Amino acid sequence: MKKRILIIGACGQIGTELTNFLREKHGSHKVIASDIREGDDELMESGPFEVLDAMDYDAVQDVVINYEITDVYLMAAMLSATAEKFPMKAWNLNMDSLFNILNLAKEGKVNKVFWPSSIAVFGATTPKQDTPQRTVMEPSTVYGISKQTGERWCEYYNKRFGVDVRSIRYPGIVSYKTLPGGGTTDYAIDIFHKALKHQNYICFLNAETTLPMMYMEDAIRATVGIMEADEADIKIRSSYNLAAMSFNPEEISESIKKHIPNFEISYQPDFRQDIADSWPSSINDSAARDDWGWQHRYALDEMTEEMLENLKGEYA
Ligand code: SER
């Protein structure tokens, strides 16, 4: 059967790069990008694009039918920090968009679904180090509650209706192409921009806040990797733990100082500190490695080099 992919949330931090990657891999016309508003010129000109409200079932169904979509990547979501400001809006967006796609898949209109979960599904009572795949989960953020609930529904739709839904618990994703919006891990991107621009950064998390992180290239490989794995190898239908590296603001600033010796970091933690404090420091992702062969490539210093190299033109 011919593959046709719909990416919902194609203008976001991960969506942009996922769209580029999949268009290069499968051909532009096979990958339909969509978002609530139009994206930048590069994205708009690289293939088909639809303005689409992920919460509007009829509109999503129309796009799925018109383009004969087989695979959906649902990347639209409100992230942790913004969701704390707009709890109901976040809940409605994160849940309605998921139900729309799960129901289309249940009705046989879509074959395969990717839906991202997050380290935010864990909470303060979860073991912080080497957090297991299966453990205590008491998320305390709206975002985390929506992701944990979404995981339960994914598993339910798989077991009850045979929906082929696949999911990863993303750590913080670091990238240079498209800025993230409203996440707690966003500091690890902002710091590179400020380092190149001002040689100093005021961090909204404290120096010791260690969080699981990943470079975008790894995140894209994981996302496409789980979608291309044999169906029988995807044994977990809630969401897989996924890891690459863990670092705190002090450690990333030391890594930056190897290239920008005058770089200085100072700390003014805000409400996002509480969110970060409720999340794990490191993740055990052996299930993803065993079941579908996940392997990361980037560690902190390699990521720092790539980020600085790719961003320096913007601040030259
Ligand atoms: N990066 C996300 C956030 O900070 C976590 O999934 O909200």
Side-chain angles (χ1 to χ4, degrees):
M1 177 160 186
K2 55 185 177 17
K3 190 191 279 293
R4 258 187 200 260
I5 297 168
L6 172 64
I7 299 171
I8 299 177
C11 299
Q13 185 201 3
I14 303 174
T16 324
E17 301 210 25
L18 186 61
T19 303
N20 285 341
F21 184 90
L22 289 172
R23 281 184 170 163
E24 269 176 32
K25 189 175 168 77
H26 298 290
S28 288
H29 59 291
K30 296 237 170 100
V31 180
I32 305 359
S34 73
D35 208 303
I36 191 80
R37 63 185 68 85
E38 293 191 351
D40 61 21
D41 291 348
E42 195 189 333
L43 186 90
M44 299 301 294
E45 284 159 16
S46 71
F49 185 92
E50 292 284 333
V51 171
L52 183 61
D53 178 356
M55 294 169 73
D56 182 340
Y57 181 84
D58 291 335
V60 176
Q61 177 171 248
D62 282 350
V63 171
V64 163
I65 304 283
N66 290 342
Y67 286 96
E68 299 176 9
I69 296 298
T70 55
D71 300 8
V72 175
Y73 291 76
L74 173 55
M75 310 310 285
M78 199 185 287
L79 295 186
S80 60
T82 313
E84 289 310 298
K85 294 182 181 152
F86 308 105
M88 288 319 298
K89 215 171 148 186
W91 174 258
N92 291 336
L93 170 63
N94 294 357
M95 300 315 298
D96 288 0
S97 58
L98 175 60
F99 278 121
N100 285 346
I101 298 303
L102 289 178
N103 284 325
L104 284 168
K106 177 188 158 192
E107 289 162 19
K109 290 168 183 151
V110 164
N111 295 346
K112 218 190 271 185
V113 175
F114 178 81
W115 176 78
S117 186
S118 161
I119 52 165
V121 294
F122 301 116
T125 51
T126 301
K128 261 200 174 324
Q129 308 290 344
D130 202 32
T131 302
Q133 174 70 39
R134 293 187 174 85
T135 183
V136 178
M137 292 163 94
E138 295 183 320
S140 54
T141 63
V142 174
Y143 178 67
I145 296 168
S146 75
K147 289 295 180 187
Q148 196 202 19
T149 310
E151 285 191 7
R152 298 287 87 230
W153 280 108
C154 286
E155 190 183 273
Y156 183 86
Y157 269 68
N158 174 263
K159 300 274 179 293
R160 179 89 201 271
F161 306 121
V163 168
D164 187 0
V165 55
R166 305 170 181 210
S167 177
I168 281 167
R169 291 171 180 151
Y170 285 133
I173 309 291
V174 179
S175 67
Y176 60 86
K177 280 194 183 133
T178 308
L179 285 172
T184 301
T185 54
D186 296 5
Y187 91 86
I189 295 167
D190 205 20
I191 194 169
F192 289 106
H193 290 266
K194 299 290 167 22
L196 287 162
K197 204 172 170 187
H198 313 298
Q199 304 198 350
N200 72 63
Y201 179 60
I202 303 170
C203 187
F204 58 76
L205 300 181
N206 69 34
E208 302 84 39
T209 311
T210 301
L211 289 169
M213 298 278 186
M214 181 174 288
Y215 188 52
M216 179 64 88
E217 195 183 302
D218 276 342
I220 297 294
R221 271 192 317 104
T223 305
V224 176
I226 193 175
M227 282 294 267
E228 286 181 348
D230 285 347
E231 194 170 350
D233 289 338
I234 308 302
K235 300 189 180 98
I236 292 170
R237 294 297 183 155
S238 51
S239 190
Y240 277 93
N241 277 6
L242 193 76
M245 62 182 114
S246 285
F247 57 78
N248 63 34
E250 192 177 349
E251 287 160 344
I252 190 173
S253 75
E254 288 305 320
S255 181
I256 291 173
K257 273 186 207 164
K258 291 178 190 167
H259 304 268
I260 306 175
N262 294 335
F263 177 65
E264 279 176 23
I265 186 166
S266 54
Y267 301 94
Q268 278 177 22
D270 66 14
F271 74 102
R272 289 169 282 193
Q273 184 67 51
D274 288 341
I275 299 177
D277 285 343
S278 77
W279 290 350
S281 307
S282 61
I283 296 287
N284 183 312
D285 64 352
S286 52
R289 289 173 195 265
D290 293 346
D291 289 0
W292 46 275
W294 161 243
Q295 276 183 309
H296 74 279
R297 286 188 189 151
Y298 283 85
L300 176 57
D301 283 339
E302 287 122 48
M303 180 185 84
T304 298
E305 265 175 45
E306 291 248 339
M307 287 295 289
L308 293 173
E309 189 57 35
N310 283 289
L311 286 173
K312 71 181 184 205
E314 274 183 43
Y315 301 99

